[in-house]
Amino acid sequence: MEHVTQLIIFGLLMVWVVYRRVRRSIGMQPYSPNRLIVRLVLFGIVGVLILSAAIAVPSLVPGAIVGVLCGVGLALLAIKYCVTEQRGGVWYYRTHIWIESAVLAIFLGRLVYRLIGVSRAVGAGGFPGAGAAGAGAGAAAGAGTAGGAGAHGAEAAGAAIATDPITAGVFFLIIAYYIVYYVYLLRKFRK
């Protein structure tokens, strides 16, 4: 029952995050340098933390590199289609809705995929990705066998997420996208 309650709380939190993100993606947004700087610092800190984990797990490095390259590419595309205007002395900007939606869909798709895998694994006492990517994760987390058991199921599931290069790539894509885009906005409006 506790597992279901946690999933419901997490699900509601994700719905709220998606709602806020979509609301910010549609229409002109007022330029607020302080808000952008705070977001930039937060993404930077999270990026450094995830990068330190990625360096410690060599299998994450290719995913991290691909994620950064894709994130920078999407940010440059978003910059190309960014619209800015001034109304009543206040600057506004609008991100390209399809690019922003793609970044959000990539993140949510990977998150839901991993949550379903973790939920099934924890419920079955195992861990997700028992194939090539997950087999080493189970042993590394102390599960001992590919199936894991009891209390080790959740630990093995967490280890499988922490050693998944696709998930790392998605995180780096998002971090690189927002860092590049926010730096662009700060520099553009500073002129």
Side-chain angles (χ1 to χ4, degrees):
M1 184 65 176
E2 180 180 326
H3 178 65
V4 172
T5 305
Q6 290 173 348
L7 285 177
I8 290 172
I9 290 171
F10 186 75
L12 291 173
L13 179 64
M14 288 310 301
V15 167
W16 179 71
V17 167
V18 169
Y19 167 75
R20 287 193 59 212
R21 184 88 235 131
V22 169
R23 214 174 103 219
R24 273 186 285 179
S25 299
I26 298 174
M28 300 300 279
Q29 303 299 314
Y31 170 69
S32 172
N34 292 337
R35 181 179 290 172
L36 290 178
I37 290 170
V38 168
R39 289 179 188 165
L40 190 60
V41 168
L42 288 175
F43 275 114
I45 291 169
V46 170
V48 167
L49 292 174
I50 295 175
L51 181 62
S52 64
I55 291 172
V57 181
S59 65
L60 296 181
V61 174
I65 292 170
V66 170
V68 167
L69 292 175
C70 291
V72 169
L74 278 173
L76 293 175
L77 192 61
I79 288 167
K80 180 178 178 183
Y81 293 105
C82 179
V83 176
T84 60
E85 66 181 52
Q86 192 173 22
R87 295 185 206 161
V90 177
W91 279 99
Y92 290 84
Y93 68 94
R94 183 179 66 223
T95 306
H96 191 275
I97 186 71
W98 292 108
I99 297 170
E100 186 74 26
S101 298
V103 171
L104 184 62
I106 290 168
F107 171 70
L108 289 177
R110 191 62 189 171
L111 181 67
V112 168
Y113 173 80
R114 294 308 296 173
L115 286 177
I116 289 170
V118 168
S119 177
R120 287 181 181 166
V122 170
F127 63 93
T145 64
H152 294 295
E155 294 168 6
I161 289 174
T163 58
D164 180 25
I166 296 174
T167 302
V170 169
F171 285 137
F172 279 105
L173 179 147
I174 291 165
I175 290 167
Y177 171 80
Y178 284 112
I179 286 175
V180 170
Y181 190 71
Y182 290 160
V183 166
Y184 163 77
L185 288 174
L186 288 168
R187 292 182 79 190
K188 178 174 181 64
F189 286 112
R190 193 171 290 158
K191 292 179 181 178

